[in-house]
Amino acid sequence: DGPVVAEAHVAGPAASPGVAGTIRIEKGRVAWFTPGEVRADVRLVDGALAVDRLEWPYGGGKVTGRWRIGLALPVPIDAEVELLGVDLAEILERVDVTGAWVTVRLDGKGRVGGTLSPPSLAGTVAGEFRDLRARLTRGTCHIAAAGEMCGSSPLAEAVTRSTGIWLRSPGVSFF
């Protein structure tokens, strides 16, 4: 579902032309996966598809990245991705896991490389989370900064402390 718009530029000699372009997906959906809006600058180079820039808005955040994937066996791949304020609940929603009751904003970077056939991949991921939100019995609690109180429901209060998150409800405490 959703339109895919591709624009390509071909230049150079007929024997080995250079091909570069832009791909834009609007309101995309493929089976259970809903990527939504995606934009990528791509080019063919030395037997590979290179994505020089990927932009993928996610609510109040976005995913950016770049990668290069070979077009012949063993299908080498080298990819980098960065998450900037991406909401975990929205990621889950886009892969058809609905009803998340806890979510966080994710910031991080990752890199993966290797081959796809046969599969042999290795990578690293580093990140942080912020703005933890939990849907409690009444309303949603947003936890922003250490020491701040959030939520005013008589059923629950949540406070962040330097040691973590403290969630308190009458008669029950979670540390």
Side-chain angles (χ1 to χ4, degrees), residues 52-79:
D52 295 321
R53 187 182 75 195
L54 170 79
E55 292 181 2
W56 192 1
Y58 256 85
K62 70 178 175 177
V63 175
T64 61
R66 61 186 181 153
W67 70 82
R68 186 174 176 153
I69 184 167
L71 300 176
L73 291 175
V75 192
I77 186 169
D78 184 33

Side-chain angles (χ1 to χ4, degrees), residues 7-29:
E7 180 180 301
H9 303 280
V10 180
S16 61
V19 179
T22 301
I23 298 173
R24 194 173 69 244
I25 300 171
E26 300 173 2
K27 299 179 184 176
R29 180 172 179 85

Side-chain angles (χ1 to χ4, degrees), residues 105-132:
R105 291 251 176 226
L106 302 171
D107 298 303
K109 293 182 179 185
R111 182 178 187 115
V112 66
T115 61
L116 296 180
S117 182
S120 177
L121 299 170
T124 58
V125 175
E128 297 179 356
F129 72 87
R130 59 185 165 85
D131 300 337
L132 174 67

Side-chain angles (χ1 to χ4, degrees), residues 5-54:
V5 178
E7 180 180 301
H9 303 280
V10 180
S16 61
V19 179
T22 301
I23 298 173
R24 194 173 69 244
I25 300 171
E26 300 173 2
K27 299 179 184 176
R29 180 172 179 85
V30 179
W32 50 266
F33 178 53
T34 308
E37 312 292 323
V38 180
R39 184 182 188 311
D41 293 336
V42 299
R43 63 190 165 95
L44 290 176
V45 58
D46 300 326
L49 174 65
V51 176
D52 295 321
R53 187 182 75 195
L54 170 79

